């Protein structure tokens, strides 16, 4: 399986922009054929290497307290 990393620009309310990447969020699932990794969503990968969960709306995330960034569209 080829890992595809997308670079996107996220913008905060005060106009600050950062470039982040989307990486798959995988969880272990039990199937008839044993356990296997299944993609259940996306995570945000900052340039520093820190992975952050997306908020429930699927288009925003927090890097720190009161530091919310938003994508222009929902990421799938």
């Amino acid at each position: 399986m080829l890992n595809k990393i997308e670079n996107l620009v996220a913008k905060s309310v005060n106009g600050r922009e950062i470039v982040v990447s989307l990486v798959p969020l995988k969880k272990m699932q039990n199937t008839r054929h044993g356990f296997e990794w299944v993609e259940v969503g996306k995570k945000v990968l900052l340039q520093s290497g820190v992975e952050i969960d997306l908020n429930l709306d699927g288009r925003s995330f927090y890097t720190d307290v009161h530091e919310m960034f938003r994508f222009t569209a929902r990421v799938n």
Side-chain angles (χ1 to χ4, degrees), residues 2-3 6 17 21-22 25-26 29 38 40 45 51 54 58-59 66 68 74:
L2 182 65
N3 287 339
E6 304 174 38
E17 294 182 347
S21 300
L22 290 178
L25 171 62
K26 294 186 177 184
Q29 182 176 9
V38 177
V40 294
L45 177 66
E51 289 184 358
L54 281 171
R59 58 188 291 185
H66 304 295
M68 185 177 81
R74 185 179 172 100

Side-chain angles (χ1 to χ4, degrees), residues 4-10 18-23 45-47 71 75:
K4 182 181 167 188
I5 297 177
E6 304 174 38
N7 289 328
L8 297 170
V9 176
I18 59 173
V19 177
V20 297
S21 300
L22 290 178
V23 294
L45 177 66
L46 301 177
Q47 289 179 341
F71 298 114
V75 292

Side-chain angles (χ1 to χ4, degrees), residues 37-51:
W37 288 99
V38 177
E39 183 177 333
V40 294
K42 299 281 185 191
K43 279 189 150 188
V44 176
L45 177 66
L46 301 177
Q47 289 179 341
S48 63
V50 176
E51 289 184 358

